[in-house]
Amino acid sequence: MADQQFNPSILGFLCNWCCYAAADAAGVSRFQYPPSMRTVRVMCTGRIDPAFVLRAFVEGADGIFSGG
Amino acid sequence: MGKAMNHREGSVMILGGGIAGIQAALDLTELGFYVYLVEKSPAVGGVMAQLDKTFPTNDCSL
Amino acid sequence: MLTNADFLALEGTAGNFTATINLRPRYIDADACTACGLCTQYCPKHHVDPYNEGLAITRPIHIDYAQAVPATYYIDPSSCLFLQHETCQICVPVCQSHAINFKQQPEERKLNIGAVILSPGFGKIDPKTLAKFSYGKHPDVVTSFEYERMTTASGPFMGEVKCFSDGRHPKRMAFIQCVGSRDIGCNNGYCSSVCCMYAIKEALVTKEHDPEVDITIYYMDIRTQGKDFDAARERAEAIGVKFVRAKVADVTPWENHLQLTYATLDGQHKFEPFDLVVLSVGLESPKDAQKIADITKIDLNKYDFCATDSFNPLQTSQQGIVVAGAFQGPKDIPESVTQSSAAASLAAASLKAVRGKGVEMKIYPEEQVVAADDEVRIGVFVCHCGINISSVVDCAAVANYAGDMKNVTFYTENLYSCSQDAQEVIKKKIKEHKLNRVVIAACSPRTHEPLFQETLRDAGLNRNLFEMVNIRDQCSWVHAGEPELATIKSKDLVRMAVAKARLIQPLPEQTVPVTAKALVIGAGVAGMTAALNLAEQGFDSVLIEKGDGIGGNLQNLHYTLAGDAVQSHLKTLVDKVKQSKKVDVLCNAELVQTAGFIGNFASVIASGKGKARVEQTVDHGVIIVATGGREHRPDKYLLGKSKKVVTQQELEKQLAGKAKTRAPGSIVMIQCAGSRGDDLNYCSKVCCNHALKNILKVKEINPDSQIVVLYRDMRTYGFAEDAYLEARKMGVVFIPYEVDLKPEVTEKGAKVQVRFFDSIMQEEVTMSPDLVALSVGIVPDDTDTLSKLLKLPVTANKFFLEAHVKLRPVELSVSGVYVCGLAHGPKPVDETIVQAQAAAAKAAIPLVKGYVKVDPIVSSVEQDKCIGCGLCVSLCPYGAIVMQKVDGKRKAETISASCKACGICAAHCPTFAISMGGFTNEQINSQIEAFGATGDR
């Protein structure tokens, strides 16, 4: 294990108006970033129930990204 | 040569289907008018459809 | 929509015109063509592709680009073998849908119309003008339009920039500005107003492709006068784009390279080698301008653009005919868009009496009932986006993967899911496979969700039975070097979307009625124009003004650059407002409080002075913000300390007066006094023209007056360039200064002294003029209060921030609130008037409809579960939840029209009584669960 690179599995909750837009902008400007995050679009990070975060850890997430 | 007469009350003709013509057409439709958008080329869009990005935000133009 | 159409004749008068249109044949039946592209593949003849500026070869039978509207192919008769030589006809049997029809004939149509909007765009500069830069002689000299196609990812070179001579990547590139603009040699004395911006954009895009490229822009003045445009220039400079103020004499081929000869300000001639030279060509009047003028009898100006005046910027010389876009004068996209909306409002006002008579509402098929326990049948469509997605992500693998998932009844791939033909395919498949959920893996829902939802409605499905997966912006574009991992990520995202799709339910479409009245804040030229335009369209407004009287900044102006008398126009405008029964004016008034939402605002307005001050509540449906701006007074250059130092506005007042000495014998003008990184971080757009206006007036009164203008870039864009030339011909001296070497103004006894570095003579100069006039720039009037009151965002420079700088330039982020005039950004009076008319057009839309649609993604409270704790009410940032007594118990309830879908209420409700439409707990949990289920990909 020690010689293997740590490749985290990250779940991201992205606000439609800012962070999701920023992810679009990153795409339009072709910024390259590691493909280790999966995303859930929400209309606002206010929607994120703490239970969602706990649930994601249960499902095997190594980290949670909340962008709003 | 075929001939047809179009008669609609409250209609506006817009000459030129570039970004200006398209926007005027959309607004007029929403304001309750029938629009004839007359464009000399085979598709609407004008020059903006040829652009890559737009200044200064570099948004996609299409 | 009538494409391939020529405008032949116009008869009649305003309100009742008859236009004759000739429809040229496409030789393809638009209803039958599926835009499959087989015909283009089989067509044997080459055809130079004008859409790609001649940089690519297509076939006579083709479509310009995949997203073209209408999505019908056409045959260009100029090169078709059959239409030229009656041979070939290979395409006829190739077409599976029998769409090709060589028997099509031109069709003449007569249109009965009430008004005409002319928006024919602009023409291109004659290649003869470009010949002195070796254009046409050396393949590596290209126009900016050609270069635009070269950098486009979907263009003929897929965005790869190469020299045409030998295919190498250019290491050194030059942009030459003002090619075919500001050039009396080709009779285009005006400035094209857009070239500086697109050159900077193209330079930035090039640097993005290859940061090592050395780029130099040769210019006379950089004219980035638009809102926040200077920042882009600074960004370009910061990443190493070089700006050289010089006149390029010629470009000489030098084997595979090019040599530029140019003269700098100090009179030196220099040479520089380049690999690629881009000519920033200007915009000309459209080629058929004269023909349009002949048909419509409108007047053209001396450059063959449509003639208009400052106070009626879109009105042509013929009643019932208005103009919009570049035909009115060269301009950029946001200004064209603004003019179009304004032109729409003018046409709408002139045809008020027949509004709504000619339109048919779009009728959607009846919505299919999808019950909660119906079998879930999901269709998955994976988009290639041309090669934008498919060059990285294995789209077939993603589609096949989706096909194996539970409830997925149908799956396929599309070349462009957004193209019209793909939309038809989607509709067909929904019906064929009885799909009741649709998942599209393509680009961003932020841009394309509405389009696909429309497709669902057309197919009889509730538009919320839809989920989008962003495998372009979030996969192919950002993981271009890791195709396998990008494909895995795409599969994961599709799996999560399908999981959510299983649980999505139809959401009801709601509408709320609109109070057909506007509140216009600020009674300057912007506010007055907007209110009057609304009145002409038939709507009431309340116009509130914080000052004693209406009129705004126009009260301080006396004449325009074009020579129009401002005060007489202002008087007409003020009288019209006062006489209008539809405009209610309140002076010494301010907005105290506003509640509600688009269509249903209630505002408390305080008005009157002292004891007469009263508060009243006004119900209205929309708000137009026209709070204006004022002259900035910098605390420098002895302004306010010496009587000999005045602002341009003060000079204008003096010149409009009667004093004998009003036009002094020697004047030094200092531009950007306070603007562009001095006190203010931006260009105030109007000051250069303001200076010129005063210069011409001084010269008119006192032709012997000696005037020196110290400037950074003279931004006399558009036709104002003529005045700049005229001033120079009169002997006015213009000397540029560098930002780190600003002029100094000192007092010596009764005299003022100006000391500056003369960049032409290369020496320091001291002058003692009779007067120093400062071009001081514009600041917005207090935007903070209104910004807080109405929750409106402002820019770093305290101007209101529009919803989209290009495409929604007069709308603000809060629905039902619009902006115009100086509150949006510095601009001259003609642009202010256009913007006010545009704001009135946008504001009139909900007023005309009489209702607004509420987005279905809103919260809803399950009243059985609600315990009435009120936590949601205290947390909701929009005041969209209220407590009500239901059977004697406190229960929460959502005001749907105010709800912004943030979901804070749903996330905090202790009893899970609140649900968000389209984002329920179950749906999000299913996505999280699917996120974890990586085993089955």
Side-chain angles (χ1 to χ4, degrees):
Chain A
M1 280 296 277
D3 57 336
Q4 273 193 4
Q5 211 193 334
F6 175 54
N7 204 355
S9 161
I10 300 167
L11 185 65
F13 292 96
L14 310 190
C15 162
N16 180 63
W17 308 108
C18 43
C19 197
Y20 200 95
D24 284 355
V28 171
S29 22
R30 311 291 194 278
F31 286 138
Q32 302 296 308
Y33 57 83
S36 40
M37 185 166 83
R38 305 294 177 260
T39 52
V40 172
R41 180 170 75 116
V42 288
M43 296 312 278
C44 170
T45 42
R47 179 67 191 93
I48 305 170
D49 194 317
F52 296 158
V53 177
L54 299 176
R55 179 71 179 264
F57 282 125
V58 171
E59 294 293 343
D62 296 310
I64 305 294
F65 175 94
S66 157
Chain B
M1 197 178 275
K3 278 201 178 188
M5 179 76 183
N6 289 49
H7 185 89
R8 270 176 199 271
E9 249 186 306
S11 55
V12 178
M13 178 179 81
I14 300 177
L15 188 66
I19 179 65
I22 295 172
Q23 182 64 49
L26 293 173
D27 286 341
L28 271 172
T29 320
E30 294 235 54
L31 288 167
F33 297 91
Y34 189 85
V35 174
Y36 298 102
L37 184 58
V38 177
E39 165 61 38
K40 63 175 182 292
S41 74
V44 298
V47 180
M48 193 168 167
Q50 281 183 290
L51 303 183
D52 176 16
K53 309 274 174 56
T54 57
F55 179 90
T57 47
N58 281 11
D59 280 1
C60 171
S61 178
L62 257 176
Chain C
M1 197 155 65
L2 304 168
T3 52
N4 242 7
D6 296 318
F7 176 44
L8 299 182
L10 186 74
E11 278 145 21
T13 50
N16 188 20
F17 288 112
T18 304
T20 312
I21 304 294
N22 177 45
L23 293 170
R24 273 172 278 125
R26 296 178 90 92
Y27 302 107
I28 292 180
D29 180 358
D31 294 330
C33 175
T34 61
C36 68
L38 216 55
C39 51
T40 306
Q41 279 176 32
Y42 278 85
C43 178
K45 183 79 168 60
H46 282 172
H47 180 79
V48 174
D49 183 2
Y51 171 74
N52 279 314
E53 293 290 327
L55 299 180
I57 296 291
T58 177
R59 309 285 161 161
I61 187 164
H62 67 280
I63 191 164
D64 285 346
Y65 51 102
Q67 298 92 326
V69 177
T72 308
Y73 278 56
Y74 69 99
I75 298 176
D76 193 318
S78 69
S79 62
C80 169
L81 288 172
F82 177 77
L83 293 167
Q84 292 293 323
H85 310 290
E86 301 211 352
T87 57
C88 186
Q89 294 204 64
I90 288 178
C91 49
V92 178
V94 164
C95 180
Q96 301 297 303
S97 40
H98 309 292
I100 291 157
N101 177 6
F102 281 114
K103 293 202 185 79
Q104 278 188 1
Q105 292 295 319
E107 183 194 336
E108 202 170 284
R109 277 223 222 158
K110 299 229 182 252
L111 312 175
N112 189 256
I113 46 183
V116 178
I117 296 176
L118 300 175
S119 53
F122 57 86
K124 285 179 187 167
I125 306 290
D126 190 336
K128 273 186 227 148
T129 309
L130 318 180
K132 68 174 170 185
F133 301 111
S134 285
Y135 181 77
K137 269 186 275 178
H138 194 289
D140 297 337
V141 180
V142 298
T143 69
S144 45
F145 287 93
E146 291 164 349
Y147 191 67
E148 187 84 28
R149 294 309 301 157
M150 288 167 74
T151 56
T152 306
S154 60
F157 312 115
M158 292 181 273
E160 197 180 345
V161 175
K162 283 184 193 169
C163 293
F164 284 109
S165 55
D166 57 4
R168 72 184 188 281
H169 291 260
K171 291 272 165 277
R172 290 173 57 81
M173 272 180 67
F175 282 85
I176 303 176
Q177 298 306 106
C178 301
V179 176
S181 309
R182 303 178 66 183
D183 180 359
I184 34 180
C186 65
N187 199 25
N188 288 350
Y190 58 87
C191 158
S192 292
S193 308
V194 299
C195 326
C196 287
M197 273 69 81
Y198 73 58
I200 292 172
K201 173 194 78 177
E202 289 178 355
L204 282 168
V205 168
T206 310
K207 279 278 194 188
E208 217 173 79
H209 284 251
D210 180 0
E212 300 301 309
V213 189
D214 185 283
I215 302 175
T216 310
I217 298 180
Y218 292 94
Y219 72 98
M220 296 198 272
D221 297 280
I222 289 291
R223 292 184 171 168
T224 43
Q225 63 273 349
K227 187 177 178 182
D228 292 335
F229 286 5
D230 260 340
R233 182 217 164 138
E234 281 156 25
R235 213 160 62 228
E237 248 169 336
I239 63 165
V241 176
K242 284 181 263 179
F243 289 83
V244 175
R245 192 192 292 269
K247 186 89 185 134
V248 176
D250 64 14
V251 177
T252 344
W254 174 42
E255 291 173 1
N256 272 353
H257 298 262
L258 292 156
Q259 181 164 270
L260 231 76
T261 312
Y262 63 95
T264 50
L265 217 53
D266 50 8
Q268 290 189 50
H269 281 256
K270 292 182 181 168
F271 306 98
E272 202 79 48
F274 287 98
D275 297 320
L276 186 70
V277 172
V278 181
L279 306 178
S280 294
V281 291
L283 312 185
E284 252 180 12
S285 68
K287 277 210 168 51
D288 49 357
Q290 193 55 55
K291 204 177 128 199
I292 294 171
D294 290 344
I295 297 173
T296 56
K297 301 180 191 70
I298 58 158
D299 294 338
L300 300 179
N301 72 11
K302 69 171 178 174
Y303 297 119
D304 281 352
F305 286 89
C306 184
T308 61
D309 76 71
S310 307
F311 297 110
N312 298 288
L314 304 183
Q315 180 59 52
T316 68
S317 55
Q318 292 295 323
Q319 279 301 311
I321 306 179
V322 291
V323 61
F327 187 37
Q328 191 256 2
K331 62 180 54 66
D332 60 10
I333 298 165
E335 274 187 37
S336 292
V337 170
T338 309
Q339 286 203 339
S340 318
S341 296
S345 81
L346 295 176
S350 72
L351 300 174
K352 184 184 74 182
V354 287
R355 182 168 61 212
K357 293 205 171 158
V359 288
E360 297 144 31
M361 295 304 282
K362 179 170 178 184
I363 299 165
Y364 294 99
E366 200 176 326
E367 204 173 286
Q368 176 193 331
V369 180
V370 177
D373 52 355
D374 279 0
E375 183 203 350
V376 173
R377 299 176 67 85
I378 303 174
V380 179
F381 299 85
V382 180
C383 180
H384 286 216
C385 194
I387 58 159
N388 276 304
I389 295 171
S390 60
S391 63
V392 177
V393 172
D394 183 346
C395 293
V398 174
N400 288 332
Y401 172 74
D404 290 339
M405 294 177 68
K406 196 181 139 204
N407 299 115
V408 174
T409 351
F410 177 78
Y411 63 97
T412 190
E413 297 157 58
N414 304 124
L415 182 59
Y416 283 102
S417 298
C418 58
S419 65
Q420 221 175 340
D421 60 312
Q423 304 283 299
E424 292 307 317
V425 170
I426 295 170
K427 285 180 214 167
K428 213 169 100 192
K429 295 300 172 193
I430 289 174
K431 289 188 182 131
E432 210 175 291
H433 297 271
K434 298 192 176 59
L435 303 177
N436 55 19
R437 309 285 190 282
V438 174
V439 172
I440 293 183
C443 52
S444 175
R446 289 177 47 84
T447 53
H448 281 72
E449 193 174 56
L451 175 82
F452 293 124
Q453 290 189 326
E454 186 76 8
T455 314
L456 260 68
R457 291 184 75 186
D458 285 339
L461 277 184
N462 182 285
R463 65 181 168 121
N464 298 293
L465 295 169
F466 174 72
E467 184 66 17
M468 218 169 154
V469 191
N470 193 343
I471 60 170
R472 188 185 71 182
D473 306 47
Q474 290 183 13
C475 292
S476 67
W477 277 355
V478 290
H479 311 310
E482 297 155 295
E484 278 167 29
L485 292 173
T487 303
I488 291 176
K489 181 173 172 182
S490 301
K491 287 181 181 174
D492 287 349
L493 292 175
V494 167
R495 184 177 67 246
M496 291 163 67
V498 168
K500 180 177 177 183
R502 291 187 191 114
L503 299 173
I504 48 184
Q505 295 297 329
L507 297 174
E509 300 289 334
Q510 305 176 48
T511 56
V512 288
V514 164
T515 310
K517 187 189 249 186
L519 172 67
V520 183
I521 308 172
V525 64
M528 290 191 292
T529 305
L532 279 177
N533 185 287
L534 282 173
E536 281 161 21
Q537 293 192 63
F539 299 106
D540 292 331
S541 47
V542 176
L543 177 59
I544 64 169
E545 165 59 41
K546 71 166 188 251
D548 294 336
I550 61 177
N553 277 312
L554 226 47
Q555 295 171 94
N556 304 322
L557 301 183
H558 301 277
Y559 44 87
T560 66
L561 192 54
D564 314 277
V566 176
Q567 290 308 315
S568 64
H569 172 77
L570 178 62
K571 189 171 179 308
T572 319
L573 199 62
V574 167
D575 288 348
K576 264 195 199 166
V577 170
K578 285 184 176 160
Q579 282 156 17
S580 174
K581 291 194 176 90
K582 291 197 163 294
V583 185
D584 191 2
V585 181
L586 296 173
C587 286
N588 300 113
E590 60 176 7
L591 186 64
V592 180
Q593 193 194 329
T594 292
F597 46 89
I598 180 170
N600 297 276
F601 290 108
S603 296
V604 179
I605 292 155
S607 63
K609 266 184 173 169
K611 281 189 180 163
R613 194 161 177 87
V614 284
E615 282 196 1
Q616 57 180 305
T617 303
V618 176
D619 290 327
H620 54 102
V622 291
I623 302 174
I624 294 179
V625 176
T627 47
R630 61 191 141 79
E631 199 179 62
H632 168 62
R633 294 191 68 88
D635 186 21
K636 48 184 64 144
Y637 300 123
L638 299 178
L639 180 62
K641 296 193 178 75
S642 165
K643 277 188 182 160
K644 291 192 166 178
V645 180
V646 296
T647 64
Q648 292 287 2
Q649 198 167 296
E650 287 163 345
L651 175 59
E652 179 172 345
K653 190 179 172 192
Q654 179 180 328
L655 291 171
K658 297 240 170 348
K660 264 199 177 139
T661 52
R662 65 188 190 276
S666 65
I667 306 173
V668 172
M669 294 187 176
I670 302 174
Q671 300 304 107
C672 302
S675 294
R676 293 185 62 192
D678 205 346
D679 301 352
L680 312 174
N681 225 346
Y682 51 89
C683 166
S684 293
K685 203 173 187 180
V686 303
C687 332
C688 286
N689 288 356
H690 202 165
L692 273 164
K693 176 173 95 169
N694 286 345
I695 287 168
L696 297 184
K697 200 68 175 181
V698 169
K699 284 287 193 183
E700 185 189 311
I701 302 165
N702 179 5
D704 295 331
S705 177
Q706 291 187 346
I707 306 172
V708 174
V709 181
L710 305 176
Y711 71 99
R712 289 181 54 197
D713 293 285
M714 281 311 286
R715 293 183 164 173
T716 46
Y717 59 98
F719 303 123
E721 180 69 15
D722 282 346
Y724 182 28
L725 181 66
E726 199 184 330
R728 278 178 293 163
K729 279 187 182 160
M730 285 173 172
V732 177
V733 180
F734 290 84
I735 300 171
Y737 69 86
E738 290 301 321
V739 66
D740 44 11
L741 212 62
K742 285 188 189 126
E744 282 170 25
V745 181
T746 49
E747 215 164 5
K748 205 166 186 191
K751 287 181 175 171
V752 280
Q753 277 194 343
V754 184
R755 202 167 68 206
F756 60 92
F757 183 76
D758 183 338
S759 48
I760 298 166
M761 306 301 288
Q762 293 287 308
E763 61 184 22
E764 193 156 283
V765 177
T766 307
M767 298 180 83
S768 300
D770 296 337
L771 190 75
V772 174
L774 303 179
S775 292
V776 289
I778 291 175
V779 286
D781 261 338
D782 173 36
T783 47
D784 283 345
T785 318
L786 211 53
S787 155
K788 285 198 190 97
L789 220 50
L790 299 174
K791 294 199 169 88
L792 304 172
V794 291
T795 66
N797 301 321
K798 300 276 180 198
F799 292 100
F800 286 108
L801 175 66
E802 56 272 41
H804 187 291
V805 290
K806 286 271 169 296
L807 302 176
R808 294 171 66 197
V810 296
E811 292 162 81
L812 293 173
S813 60
V814 177
S815 323
V817 187
Y818 313 88
V819 68
C820 56
L822 299 182
H824 160 273
K827 61 181 64 65
V829 63
D830 53 338
E831 289 171 32
T832 296
I833 291 173
V834 167
Q835 212 181 19
Q837 291 165 341
K842 292 293 183 189
I845 290 172
L847 305 183
V848 165
K849 286 193 173 154
Y851 62 87
V852 281
K853 283 193 179 143
V854 178
D855 201 87
I857 303 174
V858 292
S859 72
S860 60
V861 184
E862 232 179 293
Q863 302 223 323
D864 290 348
K865 290 188 188 165
C866 177
I867 52 169
C869 68
L871 189 62
C872 49
V873 177
S874 65
L875 288 172
C876 178
Y878 305 101
I881 302 188
V882 288
M883 296 305 291
Q884 283 185 329
K885 287 250 173 181
V886 178
D887 299 332
K889 286 179 187 156
R890 268 162 54 91
K891 299 282 180 190
E893 196 178 310
T894 307
I895 309 166
S896 301
S898 294
C899 177
K900 298 277 181 203
C902 71
I904 290 178
C905 51
H908 287 82
C909 179
T911 58
F912 306 108
I914 304 182
S915 178
M916 284 303 303
F919 294 87
T920 63
N921 283 340
E922 294 76 22
Q923 288 165 7
I924 295 178
N925 274 323
S926 75
Q927 282 175 284
I928 300 171
E929 205 175 304
F931 157 75
T934 50
D936 47 297
R937 72 178 163 217

